[in-house]
Amino acid sequence: DIQMTQSPSSLPASLGERVTISCRASQGISNNLNWYQQKPDGTIKPLIYYTSNLQSGVPSRFSGSGSGTDYSLTISSLEPEDFAMYYCQQDASFPRTFGGGTKLELK
Amino acid sequence: QVQLKETGPDLVQLTQTLSITCTVSGFSLTTYNVHWVRQPPGKGLEWMGAMWNGGGTDYNSAFKSRLSISRDTSKSQVFLKMNSLQTDDTAKYFCARQNPFFGYFDYWGQGVMVTVSS
């Protein structure tokens, strides 16, 4: 199985701040990397697919990059609604696996 | 619009079988793949398996032979069944639709929280 390691697990940040969350795969995943946001009420929505493609309706302050084993999600200027959990996920091989999550918290 | 909704029991007894239904609307199960993902309380997401649009299935080997996924296309429903439940199967169970062009999950249900009680 491909292990996905996310960092940091917790990220205190302020409104308007630029933040980056990292995700490392245990082997190359050829850009098959997706990002999801989970709100405190439990709802999950996709943000970025195939490394850098913005899901329809997601604000342009979200962006993704990476290659090989290392990927990142960047939020350029934090808005109040961005404080949530974030998960990366690989779909290069089965079983699909997720990172452990990053909790983005208000500082 | 696209919707997925999981229904199932709140509580299941230890060693018993869990049955959850995912009822979808706004798309056809013969065109889209549907996956199951679970999340123990306070923990991360775990992929369980998939129902392919052609009727086949794939499972996470972590669940060995405990897990079964099936569907009724006429009712737009996908079923998850897992036997020999243990307390660490306590989790919120989600169904999610796979995007038709990429491997990501573009729509998720709200999830159903299941507690395994001893």
Side-chain angles (χ1 to χ4, degrees):
Chain A
D1 297 3
I2 297 177
Q3 308 302 315
M4 305 300 293
T5 303
Q6 251 181 270
S7 61
S9 56
S10 176
L11 180 54
S14 303
L15 290 171
E17 188 174 340
R18 177 186 180 92
V19 298
T20 296
I21 298 169
S22 298
C23 184
R24 173 167 288 177
S26 59
Q27 63 190 74
I29 54 173
S30 303
N31 294 109
N32 292 292
L33 191 283
N34 312 305
W35 291 95
Y36 301 90
Q37 178 191 66
Q38 184 173 34
K39 287 292 185 73
D41 67 358
T43 57
I44 300 173
K45 73 170 191 177
L47 297 173
I48 301 283
Y49 62 94
Y50 199 64
T51 296
S52 59
N53 295 275
L54 199 65
Q55 172 72 356
S56 176
V58 173
S60 59
R61 62 181 179 273
F62 290 89
S63 63
S65 64
S67 64
T69 60
D70 294 321
Y71 299 85
S72 62
L73 171 71
T74 297
I75 309 173
S76 60
S77 179
L78 284 170
E79 297 286 337
E81 60 269 27
D82 299 337
F83 293 93
M85 286 292 295
Y86 292 86
Y87 293 94
C88 61
Q89 177 240 338
Q90 64 81 20
D91 63 50
S93 69
F94 289 97
R96 304 307 197 215
T97 47
F98 293 84
T102 294
K103 186 173 185 179
L104 184 53
E105 306 174 291
L106 187 59
K107 189 186 290 184
Chain B
Q1 75 272 29
V2 173
Q3 290 186 317
L4 300 93
K5 183 175 175 61
E6 307 88 347
T7 51
D10 296 330
L11 194 65
V12 179
Q13 295 302 310
L14 198 65
T15 73
Q16 296 303 298
T17 297
L18 171 65
S19 295
I20 302 174
T21 298
C22 174
T23 302
V24 310
S25 58
F27 68 97
S28 170
L29 294 177
T30 59
T31 303
Y32 290 82
N33 304 323
V34 172
H35 297 248
W36 288 95
V37 175
R38 75 176 186 177
Q39 183 176 39
K43 295 191 176 182
L45 300 166
E46 181 177 32
W47 181 80
M48 300 183 73
M51 168 58 72
W52 303 120
N53 57 15
T57 53
D58 260 307
Y59 301 108
N60 188 332
S61 61
F63 298 97
K64 298 179 183 175
S65 57
R66 295 200 296 144
L67 181 62
S68 173
I69 298 172
S70 59
R71 70 179 184 181
D72 183 335
T73 56
S74 67
K75 294 183 178 179
S76 294
Q77 292 179 327
V78 181
F79 308 105
L80 177 147
K81 285 194 175 182
M82 190 162 67
N83 58 32
S84 304
L85 286 190
Q86 301 300 311
T87 55
D88 59 4
D89 291 315
T90 293
K92 181 173 275 192
Y93 289 78
F94 297 91
C95 56
R97 190 187 84 164
Q98 180 181 332
N99 180 270
F101 305 108
F102 293 87
Y104 75 105
F105 308 136
D106 58 3
Y107 288 91
W108 294 66
Q110 64 194 22
V112 59
M113 182 65 206
V114 177
T115 300
V116 180
S117 172
S118 57

